[in-house]
Every structure is written in C-alpha cells, then in structure tokens.
C-alpha cells in the first residue's frame, strides 16, 4: 500500500483524473482461471453511478468499463477467465463539459485537496479536483467485483446506517431492502424520514455526513497477520483511503469504550450441529488481527461534501482573504454512493489477505 | 506494512514473545547523523512500563533497552549518532515467572488470539499470549522515540480522554497535566472520578474500555500521498495495529456524520502576522490524505482487557463446552498504557511519510 | 519489485499482451513539475521499434504512445509537466493480424514461456506469447524516457558490444557512432562484419545471441543502500527482468575472477583541478552497493531468439513427441533491440534509488 | 527487497556491524509447523566460518547462533517447530580485538565502502567495515538453513568452479567431493593446483577472484512471475547483493551470446518412464522468468579481496594523496567462503517465490 497501489499480493493500482480522457486501473496478482464477465463488473459500477436518484449528483457518467488485458476468451464457450496476468480496466470520461474554473482556480476550497496538494506538489490541477476526485472510486468498485471472486464463498454487503442525526433501527435490518431504496438502507422505515431530511439539505444547497456499515460473511478463519498485517488494520486503511472518510471501526468499535470485560467477551458455545458458535460479535470477526470465522463487520463515517452553495471564507493563492461557493451539481450526501465503494474496499482487503495467508500457510 | 514490519522508508520490524528470552526490533531506513541517547528511548519506555500505579498491571518489567547496532559513538564527545544502518534494539524479558498454564492451555479465551491463531497457524503458544501479547508494544515505543527525531520540529503528545462513560471536559484541557496523574488525563477534574471508578472495576476483577487522543503539532504541510498512501490512512492503520484497538478517527471523526457542509468547512483567514490560519480543525490536519500544516488529531478506542476474574463461557480444543477465568495480574484499563503506544505509532507513521515525501518531492 | 511492478518510490507497472487491444503502463511516484513532451517519449520508442533495418523483425508496430493521466498542460505555454500523480501511458496494438496458431497452440516451443506458464497458471495464452512477448518492453522504454528526467544531469547510453563471436574493438569506441548504424555499435569497424554475419544468420532462419553495455554518466555518489538495496543489485534485477537476458555484470564483471587485488583496485588521485579522480573503473561505479560518482557500467547478455526456422524436438500438451518450427517474422538478433530497453531499465533503477536516497538522507 | 530486507513473503532482515556487540536477523513470514534444530542452522554456519584452512582468513569467530523468538518447543518431544511468527537469530561478536584504526581511519581504501558510504551518509564507521563487512553474510547462511526447509524436496548445493585463470574440469564434477577439500571444489583434480596457486597468492599478500556455481534441484515448475518478479531476476538480485559479487548468470549465461537458436534450444522428449525430459539446460531451469522443473543453475563472480599487503594509491579525507596497505588477517580468495552464502541466497529467493506462487495459485 503506497501512493496509488493497494494490497500486497492482490494489488490494485489506479490512475486518472476526473477531467482527463479516461480513468483506469491495473489489478496484479489475481489468480488464473477465475471466470468473470464484463457485465458483473458493470453491475457493481452501476450501483455507484451518479444520477440514479435526486439524492446523488446529477452528473451523467455512463461509466462503461472495458477490459484491456489479463483475460482469455475460451474459443468454444466464449467465457472469459483470468490468466494470472495484470488485468487492465479503463473507463472513458465522457462528461468533461468545458467548464468555467475561473472562480475556483486560484482559491483554496475548504475541505478539498486544493491547499494540501498545492503544498505537496507545488502545482494544482484545479479541474474537477484532479486526482482527488471521487471519480477514482469507480475503479475500486470495478476491481472489487473481481476481488470478490477470489475468495470462495464470501459475500460482502454494505448499507447506509446513519444520515446526520438519523440512524436506522437495527431491529428492522433486512438485507433485501438495501437495493429497494435510493439510500442503500437496510431499514425500510428509514426511507421516508431520510428522503424528507435530504430533500431539505439538497434544496438548501447544503450537505450532510453519513455512516456506512459493511459486512463480510463467509470469510474463513485465519486471515490476517500479527502485528502490522492485521486484517482489521488493513480494512481500516482500506476504508480510510476512501475520499471524505474520517473514521472507521470494527465490531463494537467506539462503543467498546463503555463496555466492561464481561460485556465485551464474545462467549463460545457448541451449537446444535456440534459446531462452535460465538454468542456475540463485539470483535467484528477479528481476534488479535486474525479472522475468527464470524462475519467481519466494519463501519466508516463519510463527512459532508465540501461543495456547498453557501459561501465559505477562504484565501486565494496570493494570500488575500476571499469567499468561495461551489456552483454546479453535487452530492447532498456523498455517503450514499460510498456504500458500493466500501464493499469493494472490504473485498480488496480480504482478497489480499486470503492470498497472503495461503502463501504462508498453504491450503490447509 | 506487512506481517511484522511497519512503514516503507522508515521501517520498524518487531520480534519476540512475552515469555521468550527477549523482545526486540530493527529500525531500517533511519537517516544518518541523528543524535540519540539511550536515556531518551528509556524515558518513553518508562511511561509505558507497567506497575507504576494501582491502575495498571502489577507485573514488573524493568524494560531496560539496549542498542545493538546502527549507532556510532563520537570518540571525542561520547555522543551517539545514527549511522543510517539498521538500528537493533533489545529488551530482555526478566519477569518470566514459571507459571501454571494448565488451565488456559487447551481453552480458547474469549477476546484473545487463542482461537484465531490456532486456526491460522495450527499451533498455539499458550504462554502469555505469545506474539499477541501487548508486550510487543514496548518496541513500538522505543522505535517511536527515534522516529520523533526524524521530523524536525514535531511534537507528539497523547492523552486519555474517556474511560467507560466518563469523558474529560475539553474546556479543561491542559497538556501539562498529562504527566501529573496516573491516567495521562489532560483534565485535572477527571482524575478523582476516574480513580474512584477504576478502583471499583479493579476490585471486582473487571475491566473497561477507553479512548485515547494523539495530537501531532508541527507537522509540515504536504505529507501523505493519494490515493492509497494517505497520511490519515496510514495513521489509521498504525493505530488499528495496536492490541485491543477497535476504532480510529481523524479530526471530527464519527461526529462528522452529523455535521452539515457549512459546519464542517474549516474556513481560512489571514492572521495578524499575515499567515494563513484555519478557523477550525474538523479535518484533523489532513486534507485529501495530505497534511495541511494544522495539528494532526487522531483518536482511537481500546476495548476492555479480556483477562477478567469473572468466568466466561468458552470451549476447549476438544470442542467441549467449559468456562474460563484469567487469574493473576492484569490491567483494569489497558487503555491507559496505550497512550505512549499511540504517540509512538503516530511518530512512526509521520516519520515514514516525511521520508517518502522528501523522496518524491525533495526538500522544497 | 514484484509481479508486474518495478521499483519502490519510482514505480513502473506494466500491463497488456501482444495480441490484446493495447499495452500500457502506470508510472507512480514521479516527482511533480518535471517538463516532458510526448515527442521525447516517442523518440526513445522509435529507437526500439521493429522493422527499421533488415536485421530486426519486419513486423510493423508504429508504437504511437498516448498519455492518459498524470500531466498538466500549462495553458499559457502549452508545456506539459508532471503532476506527481500516476502517469498512464498506452500504445494501441495495430498489427494483430489474424494468424493461424493451430501449429503452435498445443506444442511447447523450446525456450518460450509455453511450458513454464502452463505449469504456473494452468492456462496458456498461445497468441503471440501473451504476456511473455517482448512487446512489453515498449512500455519500459516509454517509462525510461521519463525516468531519465528525474535525476538531474545524468546521461544514459547503451551499445551493442558483441554478436556471436564478434566483439567490438574497444579502442574504437565512439558514442557518436551508435546511432549511425543498425546495430547500435560504438565501433564503426564492426558494422560490416556484423552485417555480413547477421545476413547469414537471417537467411538461414537462424538466430544468435549478443551482449549489450549500458553506461550511466553523471550519477551522483551515494545512491544505493546496503545490504539488500544495493544499486548494482537492483540494476542486475532490472536487466535480468528483460526478456531473453541470461546474465548481467557490473564493471569488470566476470573478468574480475582473473584479477588480483592489486590489479582490481581502482586507485584514487587528485586531478589537476583538485578533484578526486579514480584511475580505473573495475568497480563499474558501485562500491559496496553504493554509487561512487564514477560512471555506472553494466553489461548483459541476450540469448538467441528461440523462434527459428529449423525444426526442434518438443512435445505437445498430450505428452506426444513432436517437432516445432516457428514460421513468420522474427529477429535474427533480438539483442539489437534490447539496447534501448537496457538503457530504460538503467534509468528506472537509478531514478528509483535517487528518490530513495533523497528520502533517507535529504538533498545534502 | 529494500535496504536491509530481502524477500516479499519470506522476508529476511539483517542487522549489525562487524565490530558491534552482535549481529542478527529477523525472518518474517516463515510458515508455522516447520521442525528445525539449532544444530542444523549451526552446521551451515560452520561451513562459512573463517579459519578452517590456511586459505581463508585466520580470524576466529565461533559464530554460535541463538534463537530468540519464533519457535515453540514441544514439551513432550523437545522438538522445536516454527510458530509462523518472526524468528530472531543472534550471534555475539567475540573477536572484537581492540585494533589500531589510525592508519585507515581517514583514508579511503580502494574497493571498500569507505568512499561511497561517506558520500551517502556523511559519516563513516571505520571499524572493520561496519555494515559493509562480509560478517553480515553469516545471517544469510543462518536464514538460508531455514529457507531450505520451506520448499519440500529441494536440494541446494554450491561449488567453486574457478579461481583466477584456473577452472575446474566439468567432466570430473562430483558433488561428494565438495566437502572433502578446503575450496568446495567439485573436481578433485583441481585441489592441488588451486592449493599451490593460492599459497602463492597468500604468501605475497595478494588476493584473487573466483566463480561460484549454485544448483537447486527439485524446484517445482511454476515459481516466478512475469515480468518484474522473475525467478531468475530475483536470484540475480540475491547473488548480486552478496559482498564483492560483480556478475551473475543463469544457465548458459554469457556463453549464450555465442550460441545460435538451434544450439540454445533445450529440446524436449518423453523419457522411458513417460515423463517429459529436457535434452539440455541452457535455460538454467528458468523459462520466461518461471521455473521449468529443471535444476536451477546460477553462477556468480567474486572479485578479489580489496585488503592486500601491497600499497595502493588513494586519498584521505582532507583530499591529500596518500597510500594505503591493509595489515592483518585477510582472505586470499574470499570467493571460497562465498559458496555457502550463495547457497543460502538461492534458498531465500526460492522460498520466497514458493510462498508467493502458492499465494497466487494455491497448491495445485
């Protein structure tokens, strides 16, 4: 994990700016012989695609992905399988409407990369955020679609569990509900209040934060490595690398500050089939950095979009005080579209650890 | 960052088990010519050392560190400086009292590494937790003492801000208070209530979680790299790699879910000296993964120690249901001793990024 | 350096197969602000391009490179500079003539990847060698064009010094000659005998090996790191990663087996300008893995192309004995086109070490 | 592979200077459950140990290795097995005789690290070469003893094949001879001429280069990865990282420059047992960077020791011209002791690739 590459054995390298000709990625280290279809990658991309409801940005990005390398088509069946070589994916940028950047070109937008990139690189690509654009996350989603297939039997699902002050009622949790509403909410009863609340945010040109929960079922026990290759450490890094994420927690997370040792202990019994069964999952599926076989549960928080219609105080490149307001299309709650991205990052972290564990310990 | 190594250019590799002859580490990539003294490393270790109050484990570990390589003594002044070669540090284990492990040897202690290590390695070193022991963190603290000196002008300080339900009053924050009480609390008014509360926990053989805040001042703008080498991503990984940590946040952290874009924006003005000044620090000093020059602020939560005197349900290696209770010395709130460890991990993450940034962009 | 990525701080990741739609690469970690032009990248590619004389394959690959990300165009001057973000380069494959693979599809060609890839991946992309095609080296050359600009003042040049039994006369060495003949020979007197010899090889459908020498002038002293990050170690890895390379040496290389300590010592004097001056360069510019400031001199050997018109004994996928002959266009001496590739790999290795050294030690 | 760490999944990190209190290493990523004994590690160290004949340095280093972590003793059988955690090995330095460095302290010894380390680090540990001492290779040998056990069925053996102008007669090759003479020569007939020749070198205080060949039998097909993780690339890096090595080759190596495609092709037949059989091994067991199942054959050249009794011209730190002569004990042909080191590096490279391949492709 360094610069623009995530992972050790299953490695994702992404490239591209929001306003260049294309964005893309290279997936290296994928096992050979895994059947994939372009459509299943596209399906995940479509979940992340903007403009699908009034609660996400109205920008239009068809996000049609193409595979440039790393697969082989069976000449009899037409099936695509991975070859074990680098998989290159590309998405052309089509919505590069010529825009007037004169207002933001020399001002530092609070909460954006403008200031810190300028300090780092001494140069600033002011067009659409350049490399800091959330558009990069499309490639994470595409790569995640392949990563999911690397670990047999895993299922990774995400959901939005909080917008502003409005949390879901966990008693209503229903995974089937998640794809039935524009918020990826697992709680049907949250949909109307969230719609009303977000309409207000949207109409006022404001934005609001959110919390996403990602659960990985079927992860085999034994993934992760002490003491700087912990599975939850790498999941934390994975989530924190997503744009606008300001915190991440595993299992009981920050609530464990308030738990006693007795409350926190995930006790073990033998279930009726004679198998070990944990009576709770405060650990979130990770013990001492290694998966226990319980579901992996991670949560992360996405700050409100910095692009809002209310002017904020800032300075310009000449050190003059000024104000800035971001015109144009934006996400009132960018956390919504972070759900498929969080799923993808979970898949990438687990796939990498699956291969790393198999490397060290074999297929016992 | 993989297995037992943290960092890319400033690399820490640790080794050793709690009940072996010694623990140690190798620091690779440290710049040459940095003056260090054994005493300053020891000073940080002494902060972490157990047995300094009734609120930490009564185990006695003098934790005397020795330098085995990587330094050169000026023959005139007697001063030690780093040579740019690997720095090997070692601490002998002295409190390896012969212990009766018969009770825990074949049982899986909830919350410990017993279960997941067994699944991973097919072997379990039941003595004192083996590699999963928090004793490993001593080497982080020692290495952190050197990492702090790599970045000119930085100051890294940590504090305990919450035990159970009891949070500090931030209005009372006083860094000078931190070393004046057994909790590393920055709020004098918290000391008595925390003492009373923890006495209760301790006497009942229970344990409780805690939240630690670490602040790095003087970090130059420009450290960190998009998109998988973000500074906050690596800080999150650093904190999450600490034993018993279940969550980490930067700046406003999870509270940013409830903020609007207007509230969250860290506005910028020009101060009376003509320098840019941020009016708030919800970002925690990191914008788009790159340091802004503001203080870096991170928080992490430490779960309650799993070793408690109340029996918990578990199973043994033969799949039989049983109970377990951990006798002997333990930390009622292991979060206290995590404060110097959190500082060290912050130092390690920043030192690594300082060198990485200098590598890419030079010393502009 | 793992799988399809070369380098640590200046990192090249390549992708693509010879018979897919395109090949490409991602360069990560390049400093920001370096001016580049598409033309200068193209110029190096043109040196490597096949079909420029009768001594290289007659395949036609225009190898027009495009930049997809990582640069920014100055709107006033039109100049391109790097942004510090991943540079994505792509070359479309145009000469994918529909070919009859029926003969080679199920046979293992001696000296090719057929056998070992099949064993590794359980799948074989028989079209044109797939990932093992030397076409991949085009991206090395393109990336090398950028790497050269990372280290101020360096000059990297390569030359062919041996074909079969015919070595150049080093007394005739003239760098200006290298681009004046189809062999990149620095010795004008070698051109006619090499032409005659290679015509014979070519007409008989045979092939022959060669030795390439690459020299880097102006490399600052201090690059490289003990003991597993030695500059010559990474140059050796760089050269050995090129297709068909079977050996690499630095300075006196294998000849140093025959030298005494007295002969081998590169003695030092003060020159007339008062600067240190080495009286010889048996070390090849690297002492104990670290550059000395002398020119870096590396040599590598390229085996004869395995594609020849004389049938060779082999077996097929069913374990039946058979013979194989490679029809079509091929390089009688693939070592010729390896010259610009060797230059590029030298540039990549040095650029990476330049950034790594600057990271550890700053710009002293 | 960076700085002081070799390998990706099976990782060796070494530390220590020749004149510090100890040298050591940490092996990370070793599979759990591998039985090892201290004695088998010691046996390999004893092969490398100096002072065993008049042809190596007379320094006395008992080189007794201790294991500080990463193993678990079966309480019933007393057997040691690896735990999957970092294995820390240490050797105390005992022959640190107080020496007079006044003569070399300010002079740059040709061929040593003095000059390049000074340029790199701005500091020089003049005592015994510091980190550049070949003493570091003891840890490679110790780690190699463990690496050999990671890959089932492999056998790695090395031999000296050339001293100065004197090459072995390959017709006489007998592996059983290697441990019967002080040169690790596989050719009994070479022993007397080499003894006579080296006695001359030794008595005149001179030194001479040598070539070592290392062969790995039983390496499974499929190890290595295109295009920058080639097995031969990493073997080349492994060998080149050894002190004083100036060149490395695989299979036919530099001789392949003179071969035609017909001569070079390793033809394949079916042997009498119905198994594929290569008729030659010009490839040295590696095709397109991936092992073929044939023996891996590598050769490397070791330059003559730079420490000789004849004065050589050099300069001192003040830029004054002077001469230097290295008094004291030295190796007339340091290549001899490089044989077990070369074996160890081969083992480390293969073990790492074995785990990497198993990670990507499983245990098919």
């Amino acid at each position: 994990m360094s610069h623009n590459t995530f992972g050790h054995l299953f490695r994702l390298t992404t490239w591209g700016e929001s306003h260049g000709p294309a964005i893309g990625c290279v997936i290296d280290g994928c096992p050979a012989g895994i059947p994939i279809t372009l459509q299943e990658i596209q399906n995940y991309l479509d979940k992340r695609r903007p403009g699908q409801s009034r609660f996400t940005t109205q920008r239009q990005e068809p996000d049609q992905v193409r595979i440039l390398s790393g697969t082989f088509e069976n000449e009899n069946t037409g099936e695509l399988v991975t070859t074990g070589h680098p998989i290159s994916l590309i998405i052309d940028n089509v919505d590069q409407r010529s825009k007037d950047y004169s207002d933001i070109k020399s001002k530092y937008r609070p909460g954006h990369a403008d200031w810190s990139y300028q300090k780092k690189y001494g140069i600033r690509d002011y067009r659409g955020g350049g490399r800091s654009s959330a558009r990069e996350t499309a490639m994470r989603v595409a790569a995640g679609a392949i990563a999911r297939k690397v670990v047999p039997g895993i299922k990774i699902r995400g959901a939005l569990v909080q917008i502003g002050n409005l949390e879901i009622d966990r008693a209503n949790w229903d995974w089937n509900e998640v794809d039935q509403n524009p918020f990826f909410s697992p709680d049907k009863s949250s949909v109307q209040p969230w719609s009303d609340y977000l309409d207000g945010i949207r109409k006022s040109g404001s934005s609001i934060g959110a919390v996403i929960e990602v659960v990985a079922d079927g992860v085999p026990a034994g993934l992760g490595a002490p003491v700087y290759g912990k599975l939850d450490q790498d999941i934390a890094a994975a989530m924190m690398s997503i744009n606008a994420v300001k915190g991440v927690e595993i299992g009981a997370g920050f609530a464990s500050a308030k738990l006693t040792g007795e409350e926190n202990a995930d006790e073990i019994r033998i279930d009726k089939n004679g198998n070990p069964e944990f009576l709770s999952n405060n650990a979130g599926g990770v013990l001492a950095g290694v998966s226990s076989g319980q579901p992996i549960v991670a949560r992360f928080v996405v700050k409100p979009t910095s692009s809002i219609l209310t002017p904020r105080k800032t300075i310009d490149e000449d050190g003059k005080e000024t104000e800035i307001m971001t015109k144009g299309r934006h996400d009132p709650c960018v956390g919504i579209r972070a759900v498929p991205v969080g799923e993808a990052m979970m898949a990438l972290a687990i796939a990498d650890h699956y291969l790393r564990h198999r490397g060290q310990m074999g297929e016992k």
Side-chain angles (χ1 to χ4, degrees), chain A residues 229-301:
Chain A
K230 286 178 170 158
L231 181 59
D232 43 353
Q233 167 190 355
D234 285 341
I235 290 171
M239 300 310 180
M240 205 66 130
S241 77
I242 302 171
N243 309 47
V245 171
K246 300 305 285 184
V248 58
E249 59 183 15
I250 303 288
F254 275 90
S256 58
K258 303 181 181 178
L259 298 178
T260 62
E262 290 78 7
E263 293 163 336
N264 185 59
D266 295 322
E267 296 184 304
I268 319 176
R269 294 284 81 178
I270 298 296
D271 71 12
K272 48 190 147 189
N273 300 317
N275 296 321
E277 176 187 36
F278 288 88
L279 303 185
S280 55
N281 190 11
N282 288 312
V286 183
L287 285 168
V290 176
S291 63
S292 66
Q294 284 199 282
I296 311 283
V297 181
R299 246 165 274 106
F300 61 94
V301 60

Side-chain angles (χ1 to χ4, degrees), chain A residues 88-288:
Chain A
S88 173
L89 303 178
I90 193 167
I91 295 176
D92 292 321
N93 287 335
V94 295
D95 188 26
Q96 311 167 53
R97 64 177 69 179
S98 158
K99 218 170 134 185
D100 181 7
Y101 293 105
S102 54
D103 192 47
I104 64 165
K105 199 173 149 179
S106 62
K107 296 179 181 177
Y108 300 108
R109 290 168 295 167
H112 275 97
D114 301 350
W115 172 272
S116 56
Y117 274 31
Q118 177 71 43
K119 293 287 180 182
K120 182 173 190 70
Y121 300 113
I123 190 175
R124 178 147 68 94
D125 186 346
Y126 45 81
R127 302 160 307 169
R131 185 66 182 150
S132 70
S133 163
R135 185 145 177 68
E136 185 268 347
T137 61
M139 300 321 304
R140 303 178 187 227
V141 171
I146 297 173
R148 288 168 194 262
K149 309 199 74 168
V150 167
V151 188
I154 63 161
K155 183 178 233 175
I156 295 174
R157 293 175 293 192
L160 204 67
V161 297
Q162 183 181 343
I163 292 182
N165 278 302
L166 306 175
E167 297 187 42
I168 60 157
D169 179 349
R170 288 183 169 264
N172 295 335
W173 193 294
D174 178 3
W175 281 114
N176 293 322
E177 179 60 30
V178 167
D179 287 331
Q180 309 300 320
N181 64 73
F183 306 110
F184 302 116
S185 172
D187 171 14
K188 196 171 186 170
S189 76
S190 72
V191 176
Q192 194 56 51
W194 284 6
S195 297
D196 296 343
Y197 178 66
L198 267 193
D199 274 335
I201 292 285
R202 182 172 58 86
K203 285 171 185 163
S204 66
S206 183
S207 63
I208 190 70
V211 177
I212 290 92
E213 182 165 322
V214 181
V215 179
D217 286 289
V219 178
L223 307 193
V227 296
Y228 303 114
K230 286 178 170 158
L231 181 59
D232 43 353
Q233 167 190 355
D234 285 341
I235 290 171
M239 300 310 180
M240 205 66 130
S241 77
I242 302 171
N243 309 47
V245 171
K246 300 305 285 184
V248 58
E249 59 183 15
I250 303 288
F254 275 90
S256 58
K258 303 181 181 178
L259 298 178
T260 62
E262 290 78 7
E263 293 163 336
N264 185 59
D266 295 322
E267 296 184 304
I268 319 176
R269 294 284 81 178
I270 298 296
D271 71 12
K272 48 190 147 189
N273 300 317
N275 296 321
E277 176 187 36
F278 288 88
L279 303 185
S280 55
N281 190 11
N282 288 312
V286 183
L287 285 168

